Amino acid sequence: QVQLVESGGGLVQAGGSLRLSCAASGSTSSISAMAWYRQAPGKQREYVARITSGGTTWYVSSVKGRFTISRDNARTTVYLQMNSLKPEDTAVYYCNDPFTPRRWGQGTQVTVSS
């Protein structure tokens, strides 16, 4: 079993920055990649960024150049550095294994005011 706990969200003005963290515990050796997702009110969950075990990253076009996904050496914590935030980035942000989805965590709320 893998447990995922997201943190670091908050309220920020447009143009500001936040750094989200995702701590994985349990059977973390079974995780090959990690991704960040977000879900805005009334919308479907959106795949935002991914980092593989080899360090290859991928971003959805709307965040490319503004967000950076990274992880610690133990590969138990994944980060999402979010810069130049826009009101449309407002959502609950979640992390998960994109290839073998685990039970979703509670997410962390990001609110960007205009």
Side-chain angles (χ1 to χ4, degrees):
Q1 294 262 353
V2 172
Q3 293 78 42
L4 302 168
V5 179
E6 302 92 348
S7 62
L11 173 64
V12 64
Q13 289 188 332
S17 298
L18 284 173
R19 189 192 195 206
L20 306 184
S21 298
C22 166
S25 60
S27 303
T28 57
S29 60
S30 63
I31 299 175
S32 59
M34 284 296 288
W36 283 96
Y37 301 78
R38 65 186 179 187
Q39 187 166 20
K43 295 189 176 181
Q44 289 191 332
R45 189 168 289 164
E46 178 184 30
Y47 191 179
V48 174
R50 177 184 70 228
I51 185 165
T52 67
S53 57
T56 301
T57 57
W58 171 90
Y59 301 92
V60 69
S61 59
S62 59
V63 308
K64 202 173 293 184
R66 300 188 298 121
F67 291 11
T68 303
I69 189 170
S70 62
R71 64 179 183 215
D72 67 350
N73 289 337
R75 296 196 289 173
T76 58
T77 303
V78 177
Y79 305 98
L80 187 68
Q81 177 67 43
M82 306 187 296
N83 299 327
S84 302
L85 282 161
K86 303 176 181 180
E88 51 263 43
D89 295 318
T90 295
V92 179
Y93 283 71
Y94 303 87
C95 61
N96 211 326
D97 181 337
F99 302 131
T100 308
R102 319 299 171 131
R103 179 176 295 181
W104 292 93
Q106 83 287 351
T108 186
Q109 175 71 49
V110 171
T111 303
V112 184
S113 63
S114 57

